[in-house]
Amino acid sequence: MAEEEFTDINGNSISLDCQTRSAFCREFTVTSPKLSLRKVMVYTCFVWLFAYAVFFFTEVDHETLLIIGSLGVQLSSSCASGRESTIFIEMNKLKDIVINEAVYMHGIIYYLCILIKDPADPETVTSVVPLFQSSKPRLNCLVQVYRSCQEILAQSR
């Protein structure tokens, strides 16, 4: 007689063992394949490696603001992976550098940002470029950077 194949509600293979003890007694054992320790280790290692890779390639290691009065402002960020990104804003496009505040969750955070002026109308701001987005320094640090930037901007105007 051919042995019938059984599956659980998820479609996974299970086995049914029936042992007859007597005419009035039978024992049924349903066995599902066990998850091997090897599979658990492989999946766990994969998840940890994936999480590390995501962290390694996206975590910003440091951010730099270089302001040169006669040229402009250079913003650089470097990731833990070694990837770097740089943005340069010419001084004639820069309207001002300000400390702005924003409501975040249940509190107020402060951030330093560059105001970019409209080439057609120098009094109008076309965009705002936030600085130190990953490191998120507190206000006392931002004030020190702000004052230094304002000194340089005042000399170059």
Side-chain angles (χ1 to χ4, degrees), residues 10-98:
N10 296 319
N12 300 321
S13 178
I14 59 174
S15 63
L16 173 65
D17 182 39
C18 178
Q19 291 185 356
T20 303
R21 304 288 183 200
S22 69
F24 300 105
C25 180
R26 288 192 183 128
E27 180 180 1
F28 298 95
T29 305
V30 177
T31 306
S32 59
K34 293 179 178 64
L35 186 61
S36 70
L37 184 60
R38 173 178 263 163
K39 282 185 181 178
V40 171
M41 293 292 286
V42 167
Y43 291 139
T44 304
C45 287
F46 177 74
V47 168
W48 278 107
L49 286 173
F50 179 74
Y52 179 73
V54 167
F55 172 78
F56 186 72
F57 288 107
T58 59
E59 182 66 23
V60 173
D61 191 29
H62 67 274
E63 297 171 295
T64 305
L65 167 66
L66 174 65
I67 181 165
I68 302 171
S70 59
L71 292 175
V73 177
Q74 178 177 304
L75 313 170
S76 301
S77 63
S78 177
C79 294
S81 65
R83 183 177 56 101
E84 294 184 10
S85 65
T86 303
I87 299 171
F88 183 77
I89 302 170
E90 297 173 19
M91 193 57 78
N92 61 355
K93 294 180 180 178
L94 188 134
K95 180 167 177 66
D96 202 359
I97 296 176
V98 297

